[in-house]
Amino acid sequence: MCGIVGYLGPQQAAPIIVNGLKRLEYRGYDSAGVCIVAEDTLRIGKQAGKVANLERDVNPAAIPGTLGIGHTRWATHGLPNDVNAHPHTNADGTIAMVHNGIIENYLTIKKKLLNAGYTFRSETDTEVLVVFIGMLYQQLGDLELAVRTALHEVEGTFGIVVVSTHEPDTMIAARRGSPLVLGIGQQEFIIASDASAIISHTRQVIYLHDNEMAVVHRNGSFTTKTIGNEKTHNAIQEIEFELDAIEKGGFEHFMLKEIYEQPNTFRDGFRGRLQPSEGNVRLGGLSSVADKLRTAKRIIITACGTSWHAGLVGEYLLEQFARIPVEVEYASEFRYRNPIIDADDIVIAISQSGETADTLAAIREAKMKGATVIGMVNVVGSTIARETDAGVYLHAGPEIGVASTKAFTSQLCVLTQFALYVGRMRGLPAAEGRQIAEALEAIPDRMHRILEQADGIREIALAYANATNFLYLGRGYNFPVALEGALKLKEISYIHAEGYPAAEMKHGPIALIDANMPVVFIATRDEIYDKVLSNIEEVRARNGRVIAIANEGDEHIAAVANHVIAIPETHPALTPILASIPLQLLAYYIAVERGCNVDMPRNLAKSVTVE
Ligand code: G6P
């Protein structure tokens, strides 16, 4: 969360920084700001609200200069107002900094600075750090040394970029816990929180590691080193996606584009891996842990948000196909309760961004206790991808909409293959493996059939856009889908929504049901179909309004539900993949009808790099 950009090179910095901020805005949009080193002054424009407000009111792109930094903020310390917006400067306004993360001991440092006579304009931890760097610069006379010295005293997380009028040909970046990518162009550098702000300038990048810094110079030279001043030698890598992957491509919102991308992104998740004729799958990234998987006594899946919902589906898949006990843990809970883990355990971390602070902390805890940690991550080169022992990339391409859609179905794609892979090595018959593999291969075409119904789903959405509560119910494999459907609606439409196992309805939620309560049932034909049908009757008997996700041609459901959205039949274990798509569309159209900012829902951020 929080997007940061820095530019040093021959071009005007401000327009490049503003464009970069727009690309990064999904990381936070409480306020935005830019600082350009112009001759011997720092010129700063910053303001509460989105980058578009900054452009309209401050026109930062007009500030001349070829070195600068910018920031789009998700507020942690202090209100999201103009004063607290980044960049922040030191006491005499000669050093500016943007920061992503939290300085946990900022009050201790602040006290020291207050005692030394320094004053502060904002309530932020960031200002404390840059004032501290400024004080050290006065003593040491060297910007890099001042930054390094300050960072030694810092507890917490940071991705920072620092510029100064004292050294107008240098830009310094450092990270611990918050991602930073250094783009290397022709005698120019662009540093950003992620590659999406860099790709229109260069495809050559270095992903900085934790506790590493980059010092770049106007003459084109640069060094990467640890904060302890030991040189590091990071390989220059090529950005893997194309520019159009991070553009809306004619869609009104990124979320809608990403929903429609799913037949392709899903296929990319099994391409080159699935072997339908053998009823098996090849997962190259797991070869080093294959023996462990064969003998593991249990698997723990840890994740947050939508990724946690994918983990719940993973539990059902692994227990069914591989007959191995699985626990699914919220990463934030897992790490703080001194979990019982040993060297025989496998821990799987699922994360779109690969940067979620809680998930990262959970895998560090698991590794410390000797477990083997596997990552299922979308963003290539991300911290979780790097810190896990082995892994499987999702290959969903950049996901920009804050509410996760295509990454979720890609997580299910990878989890299904993982369960098949582990299942086959632990006795799942080839014939069953073939059925699963063939069903998986057929999913993209079936997804198209659902997307073709978008107009009908939109009509249902319009009828319920004014509802104040929603209930989502499903059983078995479809219970996590109910949770995910409710989360999508909450996130982008701000309607209160709950997901429940359908049979649990009678233990509480049934008290809420009346004519004003839309209830979304995921009621596909499986072994508990009849039971779900009874649950629907119970809701109808209390005048609840039923929107059912059912299989194509299901007359029974059509007779009892108020609305039916039909999805094609598939292997029961793969139903969540198909059933989640109409729920994404339902949430999307409801949110649009309510005038909500679908791609940037209030208070949320795409990548939560603070605890
Ligand atoms: C945030 C996002 C969610 C996401 C969750 C986990 O809350 O808004 O969409 O599911 O983080 O993120 P991850 O990148 O680890 O999957």
Side-chain angles (χ1 to χ4, degrees):
M1 53 210 342
C2 295
I4 60 187
V5 193
Y7 176 84
L8 171 64
Q11 302 187 57
Q12 287 300 304
I16 293 172
I17 291 167
V18 171
N19 281 336
L21 292 181
K22 286 189 197 156
R23 298 270 189 220
L24 295 177
E25 208 169 9
Y26 69 89
R27 303 179 68 90
Y29 29 83
D30 289 332
S31 62
V34 166
C35 170
I36 304 296
V37 181
E39 304 281 326
D40 50 4
T41 54
L42 296 180
R43 291 190 51 194
I44 294 177
K46 57 183 188 173
Q47 168 162 316
K50 302 207 163 61
V51 178
N53 297 3
L54 181 77
E55 273 192 301
R56 188 192 58 218
D57 300 343
V58 180
N59 190 19
I63 305 174
T66 53
L67 168 64
I69 52 180
H71 188 268
T72 173
R73 177 171 186 239
W74 188 89
T76 56
H77 288 77
L79 292 172
N81 56 24
D82 295 2
V83 175
N84 288 335
H86 297 214
H88 289 283
T89 53
N90 67 326
D92 64 7
T94 54
I95 302 172
M97 183 175 91
V98 286
H99 168 221
N100 172 18
I102 294 180
I103 309 298
E104 284 165 7
N105 60 338
Y106 83 107
L107 286 174
T108 317
I109 301 173
K110 189 170 186 175
K111 210 161 157 197
K112 214 156 55 176
L113 294 167
L114 286 168
N115 287 340
Y118 288 92
T119 56
F120 295 88
R121 288 167 289 247
S122 77
E123 303 152 44
T124 63
D125 52 343
T126 305
E127 189 185 5
V128 171
L129 180 54
V130 71
V131 169
F132 187 36
I133 291 171
M135 184 183 90
L136 291 166
Y137 180 82
Q138 288 213 319
Q139 295 163 7
L140 304 166
D142 179 301
L143 189 61
E144 183 198 322
L145 187 56
V147 171
R148 270 197 278 118
T149 311
L151 292 181
H152 268 298
E153 286 206 29
V154 162
E155 286 163 23
T157 57
F158 52 82
I160 57 167
V161 188
V162 181
V163 293
S164 170
T165 54
H166 299 299
E167 299 186 17
D169 298 326
T170 303
M171 178 163 67
I172 298 172
R175 71 158 277 183
R176 179 185 297 154
S178 304
L180 273 185
V181 188
L182 168 64
I184 303 160
Q186 293 293 332
Q187 298 254 316
E188 67 177 354
F189 299 97
I190 178 157
I191 293 173
S193 304
D194 71 51
S196 61
I198 295 176
I199 186 171
S200 50
H201 295 274
T202 173
R203 302 186 76 87
Q204 309 294 307
V205 293
I206 286 177
Y207 296 96
L208 287 189
H209 295 187
D210 260 356
N211 291 311
E212 219 174 25
M213 57 197 291
V215 185
V216 305
H217 304 286
R218 194 176 289 282
N219 65 8
S221 67
F222 71 95
T223 47
T224 56
K225 52 174 72 173
T226 64
I227 289 166
N229 202 22
E230 280 166 33
K231 280 227 166 86
T232 54
H233 301 283
N234 294 347
I236 297 180
Q237 300 185 33
E238 181 118 340
I239 297 175
E240 285 192 349
F241 56 85
E242 299 300 325
L243 190 57
D244 60 9
I246 53 168
E247 302 199 319
K248 281 192 200 149
F251 285 89
E252 201 181 332
H253 296 101
F254 279 111
M255 182 178 175
L256 191 62
K257 177 188 176 220
E258 287 157 6
I259 291 173
Y260 273 86
E261 277 176 341
Q262 289 176 105
N264 291 333
T265 51
F266 193 88
R267 194 176 282 111
D268 290 343
F270 67 71
R271 195 198 304 278
R273 292 171 169 168
L274 204 60
Q275 301 169 287
S277 58
E278 289 167 42
N280 212 333
V281 60
R282 233 184 250 136
L283 297 171
L286 298 184
S287 48
S288 63
V289 295
D291 288 341
K292 290 242 173 193
L293 286 167
R294 201 167 284 118
T295 54
K297 302 249 170 1
R298 68 169 177 164
I299 291 180
I300 299 163
I301 299 177
T302 188
C304 303
T306 290
S307 300
W308 183 78
H309 293 156
L312 288 181
V313 180
E315 175 182 17
Y316 287 81
L317 290 165
L318 277 159
E319 293 199 342
Q320 187 178 337
F321 298 163
R323 303 307 299 157
I324 180 166
V326 178
E327 289 163 35
V328 188
E329 299 266 6
Y330 282 116
S332 53
E333 290 295 313
F334 178 71
R335 58 169 302 205
Y336 281 114
R337 63 175 180 73
N338 192 16
I340 303 165
I341 307 172
D342 63 38
D344 289 335
D345 289 328
I346 304 275
V347 172
I348 299 177
I350 306 177
S351 175
Q352 188 287 127
S353 63
E355 301 291 348
T356 302
D358 286 322
T359 312
L360 192 54
I363 64 170
R364 286 177 179 160
E365 173 83 20
K367 276 180 88 172
M368 214 174 65
K369 294 193 159 162
T372 300
V373 183
I374 295 173
M376 294 182 185
V377 169
N378 193 33
V379 177
V380 175
S382 56
T383 310
I384 295 176
R386 278 206 309 260
E387 291 201 9
T388 39
D389 299 307
V392 189
Y393 276 120
L394 306 184
H395 293 319
E399 189 180 64
I400 311 286
V402 166
S404 185
T405 53
K406 64 174 181 171
F408 179 68
T409 47
S410 292
Q411 286 163 347
L412 299 189
C413 180
V414 163
L415 280 161
T416 309
Q417 292 177 89
F418 180 77
L420 177 55
Y421 175 75
V422 182
R424 286 305 312 280
M425 60 169 75
R426 294 169 76 116
L428 182 80
E432 269 187 59
R434 271 195 292 276
Q435 278 176 11
I436 298 161
E438 281 162 13
L440 200 77
E441 213 182 16
I443 288 284
D445 287 342
R446 288 173 162 72
M447 283 176 160
H448 280 298
R449 270 158 53 192
I450 300 171
L451 294 169
E452 279 160 14
Q453 299 177 62
D455 287 344
I457 297 172
R458 185 165 174 270
E459 269 175 40
I460 300 172
L462 298 191
Y464 293 95
N466 292 324
T468 46
N469 293 289
F470 258 81
L471 199 56
Y472 285 71
L473 301 173
R475 295 180 76 153
Y477 279 106
N478 291 327
F479 162 51
V481 181
L483 294 179
E484 176 58 11
L487 178 65
K488 284 289 87 70
L489 189 71
K490 269 188 274 220
E491 282 179 314
I492 59 171
S493 75
Y494 320 138
I495 295 175
H496 170 243
E498 302 251 11
Y500 256 90
E504 276 292 304
M505 177 186 69
K506 53 187 172 295
H507 300 295
I510 199 163
L512 301 171
I513 291 170
D514 61 17
N516 297 318
M517 175 66 104
V519 184
V520 179
F521 272 96
I522 302 107
T524 47
R525 271 191 223 102
D526 53 22
E527 55 200 21
I528 39 181
Y529 168 80
D530 289 334
K531 311 251 184 250
V532 178
L533 210 56
S534 309
N535 297 142
I536 294 180
E537 297 281 7
E538 288 156 16
V539 170
R540 293 295 290 133
R542 286 156 185 87
N543 293 322
R545 310 284 297 168
V546 172
I547 302 164
I549 313 295
N551 284 127
E552 289 167 347
D554 187 331
E555 303 292 331
H556 294 290
I557 298 274
V560 288
N562 300 86
H563 310 272
V564 179
I565 303 170
I567 63 170
E569 299 244 7
T570 180
H571 189 294
L574 306 193
T575 314
I577 300 163
L578 295 181
S580 57
I581 295 177
L583 302 185
Q584 296 167 352
L585 285 166
L586 188 69
Y588 172 79
Y589 287 121
I590 289 177
V592 170
E593 179 63 13
R594 289 166 72 94
C596 300
N597 187 335
V598 171
D599 283 335
M600 295 184 213
R602 71 184 179 205
N603 304 338
L604 297 178
K606 179 95 192 128
S607 170
V608 181
T609 53
V610 294
E611 288 174 32

